[in-house]
Amino acid sequence: MVIGKMDVGALRKALDRREISAVELTTYYLDRIAQLDPELNAFITVPRAEALRMAAAADRRIAAQEGVTALTGIPVAIKDNICTAGIRTTCGSRLLADFIPIYDATVVAKLKQAGAVLLGKTNLDEFAMGSATQYSFYGPTRNPWDRDRVAGGSSGGSAVAVAAGMAPLALGTDTGGSIRQPAAFCGVWGLKPTYGRVSRYGLVPYAPSFDQIGPLARNARDLFLLFRALAGHDPLDPTSLPAPAETGGDLSGSIRGLRVGLPREFFGAGLDAELKERVLTVAQVLAEAGCVLVELSLPSVAYALPAYYLLAYAEASSSMARYDGVRFGNRSGAEQGIVGMMTATRQGFGPEVKRRVLLGTYFLSADCYEEYYRPAQKVRAWLRQDFAAAYRRCDLLLTPTTAAPAFRFADEAGDERALALTEQCTVAANLTGDPALSFPCGRINHLPVGAQLIGPAGAEELLIRVAAVYAEKAPDDAMPEWTAPDVGEQIEV
Amino acid sequence: MVLTKEQVRALAAAARIGITEEELAVLTPAMNRTGQYIETIREAPIPEGITEEGGGKPATANPGRKDQVQPSWSREAILRNAPQQAEFCFQTPRFFAE
């Protein structure tokens, strides 16, 4: 039995049959982190003793056969902008280097209740502002497939943890593509649920009308399992959807007759030619499985990225106002009076946070409202209308997740161009609030690439089911290996 | 939109963010690159009848919580992360001159 090659379903069986204990399982992943992470830098904090304590508690639950769930004893990595009581939550920022939350985010509380083991806190761009996990105060995360390239971001740590077999499951957050893009760059599955379907209570906000927590995993079944554990109404989150999430289903329904839309705006200039071929191959496989392909146009998508920049940065400038050195976080310049203290404390933000907050401050000025802010909100409304019209013609949309495979760590101007190209594929679903899934659709040279499925609100199960059919029917070489090559020997138990 | 260094300095003061001259030299062109890109939004051919209200809220209404007293955090817990505290309060530098 090789732990690293087992999916969560197989691990569940092994745990229930007492072929392996949760402590042994957790120790395996902790050792793998110790072995691989000095180079990959996917984790900021690994609370080894706490993880083993939770694993021992899970073993007691399994032994007593009391309250055992699909996740009891299963280790999960948590992005470090999600609050964990008693475990520091840095958001990748120097300002929160010593911040220890006094409460758990609802998603963390749910995982604990299910008996999951919190393995560690994963690296991210500071306050999730970035698309490459290169703006973390704790150093960049490296792509396990090619360490000279970015992991994607901002949930780069979570994607690398899953891709390199340092965790079977992880939580990420997605404001403009921050789960899907690193999932594509690292060859794993990542889901941004419908806005409001997973509670955001305890998520440190970046742009609250966009932010969403979601799962990353190595295959469809694992992803769906974690999504089901997370979804549901939460009275502590005022944006939580009212109805209890209907997360039934077992991914086994037929996809015959489903209409899959191919919006031409996602296949235009800037898209890597090979990647385009890969995504069209996915469409072909789905057509062979009985889906009907529908070509369509979403003209609003051309303006999604500027609208996202404007609205997200405006929200960021408001969200970041809380870091004033008064209630939590580090404080500097107390001898300079109250304004001096705030200014000196906030000097500790990194360059990307400063850029976004200053632009957001500008966009929120009275002069900019008519010129920029109002048109951006209208574009957002236009996108919602455009997508709603598309869903009358098709059941879901198929697009690339990114415009190209993971890019190299590069100079600043080069980064900006590469980031803009990749972001333009993902931000539309954040503006509309629709669920969107990235799943691997092969490799270009040695680098994984992803396809994206977007659907109407509440369509998560459908998206995963359709992608699972592709994964089943795709040629062997269309799916990356379970883990990146050359990242250490597997440990046999 | 084109921002000058002076304007960026003023924005930083308004946002209470300390920036050095070196940062200002890098931030100003970086902000202007994004600004130029954002200009395209003013040319968006937004169809008639679309208002910004449709962009401001999610499609589904949110329910309210019952207005009931719930247990909350202790003062000790809330103050645990305070950079400085005194007599069960957050302590800050003096707001007003003596």
Side-chain angles (χ1 to χ4, degrees):
Chain A
M1 184 169 63
V2 180
I3 292 176
K5 289 190 184 283
M6 295 162 70
D7 67 10
V8 175
L11 292 174
R12 171 83 273 129
K13 279 183 191 155
L15 285 165
D16 290 344
R17 291 177 185 151
R18 316 294 294 276
E19 292 164 357
I20 187 171
S21 71
V23 168
E24 286 172 316
L25 186 61
T26 301
T27 302
Y28 164 82
Y29 284 109
L30 290 170
D31 289 349
R32 196 158 165 83
I33 293 167
Q35 180 191 10
L36 300 178
D37 210 45
E39 197 173 351
L40 296 175
N41 200 28
F43 286 85
I44 293 175
T45 303
V46 181
R48 190 179 177 97
E50 175 69 4
L52 289 170
R53 193 192 60 73
M54 293 175 79
D59 278 333
R60 288 193 293 276
R61 252 163 103 158
I62 294 166
Q65 287 296 300
E66 277 174 15
V68 177
T69 76
L71 286 172
T72 305
I74 303 292
V76 183
I78 314 284
K79 187 175 177 181
D80 204 23
N81 58 350
I82 298 172
C83 284
T84 41
I87 301 172
R88 75 169 180 156
T89 298
T90 70
C91 296
S93 180
R94 174 170 30 192
L95 265 65
L96 296 183
D98 304 310
F99 174 61
I100 297 177
I102 59 171
Y103 68 97
D104 280 323
T106 294
V107 289
V108 172
K110 282 188 167 201
L111 290 176
K112 282 184 175 175
Q113 209 164 21
V117 175
L118 305 191
L119 200 54
K121 303 298 294 289
T122 58
N123 203 1
L124 69 159
D125 291 293
E126 185 178 10
F127 291 108
M129 294 187 204
S131 303
T133 317
Q134 60 184 346
Y135 295 123
S136 168
F137 177 66
Y138 305 90
T141 297
R142 298 190 173 275
N143 192 311
W145 298 82
D146 182 340
R147 286 157 220 191
D148 293 331
R149 291 178 188 264
V150 301
S154 62
S155 309
S158 290
V160 170
V162 173
M166 294 189 282
L169 297 170
L171 296 189
T173 66
D174 194 315
T175 302
S178 284
I179 289 174
R180 291 160 286 156
Q181 185 251 38
F185 281 180
C186 294
V188 301
W189 294 58
L191 174 71
K192 181 199 86 72
T194 308
Y195 185 80
R197 193 134 190 224
V198 171
S199 168
R200 302 176 309 151
Y201 177 72
L203 164 63
V204 180
Y206 151 28
S209 80
F210 299 83
D211 299 336
Q212 187 59 67
I213 296 174
L216 293 104
R218 226 174 277 138
N219 63 40
R221 284 185 307 279
D222 290 359
L223 190 84
F224 189 50
L225 188 152
L226 183 53
F227 168 66
R228 289 177 72 172
L230 302 174
H233 176 67
D234 179 10
L236 296 174
D237 174 0
T239 61
S240 180
L241 288 173
E246 179 43 68
T247 52
D250 55 4
L251 303 178
S252 63
S254 169
I255 67 164
R256 188 162 290 278
L258 282 178
R259 297 161 302 164
V260 177
L262 297 167
R264 66 177 65 100
E265 287 76 9
F266 287 84
F267 293 87
L271 176 61
D272 180 282
E274 266 191 79
L275 206 160
K276 183 177 179 180
E277 282 307 307
R278 293 282 176 187
V279 179
L280 292 177
T281 302
V282 174
Q284 195 53 43
V285 170
L286 295 179
E288 285 163 13
C291 291
V292 179
L293 303 182
V294 181
E295 282 194 40
L296 48 85
S297 174
L298 293 165
S300 57
V301 166
Y303 299 92
L305 191 54
Y308 166 76
Y309 283 161
L310 207 142
L311 298 171
Y313 294 2
E315 291 184 26
S317 91
S318 169
S319 296
M320 292 298 112
R322 74 195 65 195
Y323 304 103
D324 54 9
V326 174
R327 287 153 299 164
F328 44 74
N330 294 337
R331 170 188 287 190
S332 305
E335 70 287 353
Q336 298 168 34
I338 187 76
V339 172
M341 181 197 81
M342 289 178 180
T343 306
T345 297
R346 291 159 66 76
Q347 187 155 8
F349 285 137
E352 183 62 10
V353 173
K354 286 180 179 173
R355 188 182 73 87
R356 296 189 188 203
V357 170
L358 294 184
L359 277 166
T361 305
Y362 177 67
F363 296 141
L364 287 176
S365 64
D367 289 348
C368 286
Y369 183 80
E370 287 296 330
E371 222 169 345
Y372 298 108
Y373 195 84
R374 191 195 289 266
Q377 284 288 51
K378 282 187 178 178
V379 166
R380 191 172 198 179
W382 182 20
L383 275 154
R384 286 183 178 153
Q385 182 176 294
D386 241 5
F387 275 67
Y391 298 138
R392 288 194 284 274
R393 292 185 57 201
C394 59
D395 298 291
L396 43 91
L397 302 166
L398 173 65
T399 78
T401 307
T402 65
F407 50 90
R408 292 180 189 280
F409 290 99
D411 63 280
E412 193 185 338
D415 282 355
E416 280 177 23
R417 282 192 297 275
L419 291 174
L421 268 179
T422 63
E423 283 175 340
Q424 71 188 16
C425 295
T426 50
V427 295
N430 298 91
L431 285 154
T432 62
D434 294 338
L437 164 73
S438 179
F439 59 102
C441 65
R443 280 185 255 176
I444 295 176
N445 299 321
H446 59 302
L447 299 169
V449 288
Q452 176 177 234
L453 288 172
I454 307 171
E460 290 87 349
E461 194 262 348
L462 178 70
L463 303 183
I464 300 172
R465 182 150 50 94
V466 170
V469 169
Y470 163 74
E472 209 172 277
K473 295 188 181 296
D476 291 342
D477 63 354
M479 298 297 292
E481 287 295 312
W482 69 273
T483 186
D486 189 32
V487 287
E489 294 299 311
Q490 293 304 297
I491 299 166
E492 199 150 334
V493 176
Chain B
M1 87 181 221
V2 180
L3 296 170
T4 64
K5 276 189 185 179
E6 279 315 307
Q7 286 173 309
V8 174
R9 208 193 310 270
L11 284 171
R16 305 270 192 266
I17 292 181
I19 53 171
T20 62
E21 285 302 312
E22 292 76 25
E23 286 177 310
L24 194 63
V26 175
L27 272 169
T28 306
M31 289 169 66
N32 281 328
R33 279 194 295 276
T34 307
Q36 276 166 15
Y37 183 61
I38 282 174
E39 285 290 330
T40 58
I41 207 156
R42 295 163 68 189
E43 297 147 21
I46 300 166
E48 287 287 313
I50 287 183
T51 63
E52 72 266 33
E53 283 76 23
K57 60 181 180 189
T60 313
N62 298 314
R65 239 190 308 170
K66 280 185 185 166
D67 188 12
Q68 286 176 336
V69 176
Q70 301 278 345
S72 189
W73 310 112
S74 67
R75 287 203 298 188
E76 290 85 349
I78 287 170
L79 286 166
R80 208 170 288 153
N81 279 296
Q84 208 176 339
Q85 55 169 295
E87 297 171 15
F88 281 117
C89 293
F90 295 107
Q91 193 171 30
T92 69
R94 186 178 292 278
F95 269 70
F96 302 105
E98 287 185 61

